[in-house]
Amino acid sequence: MNRLATVIALCGLALGGALSTHRGPDQKDPSAVAFGIVTAVVDGDTVRVKDREERDLGRIRLLGVNAPELAHDDISAQCWGKQAHTRLAELTPVGATVRPVLDPTQADRDAHGRLLRYVLIDDVDVQHLLLAEGQARAFWPKGPGLQAGSYLEAAQQAEHDQRGLWAACTNRKDTS
């Protein structure tokens, strides 16, 4: 077994059911909330959220996935960007209550200041669904996160089954 596979396997064993039994983050930090309300779906891997007291928490970058980009500024849209955005909007519609979950193995925020979180809605792992449907690729900014094993498995199965972007985007560079 190669080193990455070993790390992923150990992370999966250590995680067990950590997402479903997560006790909730420290409420002293306004960005660490147990629940948030979606105010906008920015693209295929980013949502904007407020807390229950109506405080804007800013953008949350879904941890563990990288969806193709929508057109912005002087950048062209990537293959499957619009479809990934549409699917995330279906899974996390404006007004939906989500549970952002911190991964202690990852940074709190990315280079753009977005919170990095797993996002659950009704205890369903949104990122896992996106990967299983071929809406995004698995991506870890700081090495494999706690969900790396199941996320990589879902992404590999989607690629194998030619789901979503894997069937539509023949030029793989258009989706990275």
Side-chain angles (χ1 to χ4, degrees):
M1 183 180 289
N2 69 35
R3 186 171 183 212
L4 178 59
T6 302
V7 169
I8 290 169
L10 290 173
C11 286
L13 289 173
L15 179 60
L19 281 181
S20 62
T21 59
H22 182 75
R23 292 182 309 180
D26 179 4
Q27 294 302 310
K28 293 176 187 172
D29 177 1
S31 68
V33 295
F35 294 94
I37 299 165
V38 176
T39 60
V41 178
V42 178
D43 58 23
D45 54 31
T46 307
V47 294
R48 184 172 277 287
V49 175
K50 65 181 177 182
D51 67 14
R52 289 185 172 166
E53 285 76 41
E54 301 290 321
R55 291 179 296 198
D56 182 19
L57 301 176
R59 295 174 297 158
I60 294 180
R61 171 69 160 73
L62 277 63
L63 188 55
V65 301
N66 189 26
E69 297 296 323
L70 294 172
H72 61 90
D73 303 322
D74 292 332
I75 300 171
S76 299
Q78 293 178 324
C79 178
W80 207 258
K82 186 175 181 178
Q83 293 89 336
H85 174 256
T86 297
R87 183 60 177 139
L88 182 57
E90 291 169 355
L91 293 170
T92 61
V94 170
T97 299
V98 295
R99 184 163 52 118
V101 179
L102 177 70
D103 182 334
T105 70
Q106 301 295 304
D108 182 55
R109 294 180 182 269
D110 70 4
H112 304 288
R114 299 174 294 188
L115 292 168
L116 294 171
R117 300 290 187 271
Y118 299 115
V119 173
L120 288 86
I121 186 162
D122 297 326
D123 288 325
V124 173
D125 184 329
V126 172
Q127 285 93 312
H128 192 274
L129 277 175
L130 293 173
L131 292 166
E133 294 176 0
Q135 305 294 335
R137 296 172 183 268
F139 172 74
W140 301 97
K142 189 181 167 189
L146 293 177
Q147 290 293 76
S150 68
Y151 284 13
L152 289 171
E153 184 179 315
Q156 289 169 348
Q157 190 64 51
E159 182 177 13
H160 178 268
D161 294 345
Q162 294 292 292
R163 289 188 218 124
L165 67 86
W166 301 108
C169 307
T170 55
N171 182 355
R172 304 300 168 129
K173 292 182 180 181
D174 288 343
T175 62
S176 52

